[in-house]
Amino acid sequence: MTSPVGGQPGDRPRGGGSRGLSGETKPAFQTTEFIAYIVILVAIVITAFVVGGDSRGYGDPFGAEHAIKYITVLTIGYMIARGLAKAGSRDRGDGVR
């Protein structure tokens, strides 16, 4: 006879009880990292639109080229931060008791 959760009678469930659908405590879009990422991303885009070359044609101090570089660096930083956050959380189904 098997227990209701599978396995043999008397076996303890892996992970210490009920299983969630995710190993994270919160979905990524509910984290402060994501909120900060979006706010800074919007600030970079607005700055790229507002700050531009002057009417005398002396160049573009912060244009699309700079904005893309900053957005790329910001995105890489966000991905590293999420990776570190996920690496620190244990998945309930990974066999660690």
Side-chain angles (χ1 to χ4, degrees), residues 41-85:
L41 184 72
V42 169
I44 290 171
V45 170
I46 290 172
T47 303
F49 278 122
V50 172
V51 177
D54 59 5
S55 60
R56 292 176 280 168
Y58 285 115
D60 194 2
F62 187 82
E65 184 178 332
H66 287 104
I68 292 297
K69 287 179 186 176
Y70 284 120
I71 289 171
T72 302
V73 169
L74 180 67
T75 302
I76 291 170
Y78 175 73
M79 290 174 16
I80 290 171
R82 288 304 302 154
L84 290 173

